[in-house]
């Protein structure tokens, strides 16, 4: 049984930082790309960042490029999302996902339950 469990999000002021983690079990973690997506109220789920199975390659949405960093530790079956210079528009439920190295949510096979990140102005 595959499980992806995100860490607790939280409330942070604009300009602040937050680090999310996602622990995977029940799958050969190092064989999957990992992605982070987010969904704000009334909006579709959108791509945030992805990292290749080895960690050698990363890709980001334009809206977070230069502010967010995705990384992974295959020894710990964990993927991270470091979020800096947070903005109110980053407020959303954040999801981690396992699948191919793509930026389309429908391509990913396994999903976490999501964690709320709220950025106050």
């Amino acid at each position: 049984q595959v499980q992806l469990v995100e860490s607790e999000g939280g409330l942070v002021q604009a300009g602040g930082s937050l680090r999310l983690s996602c622990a995977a079990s029940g799958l050969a973690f190092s064989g999957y790309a990992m992605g982070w997506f987010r969904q704000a109220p009334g909006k579709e789920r959108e791509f945030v960042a992805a990292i290749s199975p080895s960690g050698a390659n990363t890709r980001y949405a334009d809206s977070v490029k230069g502010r967010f960093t995705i990384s992974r530790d295959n020894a710990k079956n964990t993927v991270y999302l470091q979020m800096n210079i947070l903005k109110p528009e980053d407020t959303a439920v954040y999801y981690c996902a396992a699948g191919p190295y793509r930026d389309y949510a429908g391509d990913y096979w396994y999903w976490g339950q999501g964690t709320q990140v709220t950025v106050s102005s």
Side-chain angles (χ1 to χ4, degrees), residues 16-28:
S17 298
L18 194 63
R19 187 196 199 201
L20 302 180
S21 63
C22 171
S25 61
L27 78 169

Side-chain angles (χ1 to χ4, degrees), residues 2 9 11 17-18 60 67 78 89 94 109-110 114:
V2 175
L11 172 64
S17 298
L18 194 63
Y60 298 91
R67 300 188 298 122
T78 301
E89 51 264 42
Y94 283 72
W109 302 312
Y110 305 108

Side-chain angles (χ1 to χ4, degrees), residues 25-110:
S25 61
L27 78 169
F29 183 75
S30 62
Y32 290 83
M34 297 298 295
W36 285 96
F37 294 80
R38 67 186 182 186
Q39 188 166 17
K43 295 188 176 182
E44 292 187 354
R45 192 168 298 188
E46 66 173 2
F47 170 76
V48 175
I51 187 166
S52 62
S54 69
N57 297 295
T58 58
R59 57 200 301 173
Y60 298 91
D62 288 343
S63 58
V64 307
K65 204 171 292 183
R67 300 188 298 122
F68 290 13
T69 302
I70 188 171
S71 62
R72 65 190 296 160
D73 185 338
N74 284 348
K76 295 182 178 180
N77 287 2
T78 301
V79 62
Y80 305 94
L81 185 68
Q82 177 67 43
M83 303 184 291
N84 298 328
I85 317 175
L86 282 160
K87 305 176 181 180
E89 51 264 42
D90 294 319
T91 295
V93 177
Y94 283 72
Y95 300 87
C96 69
Y101 183 54
R102 297 176 187 169
D103 56 8
Y104 176 56
D107 288 335
Y108 283 74
W109 302 312
Y110 305 108

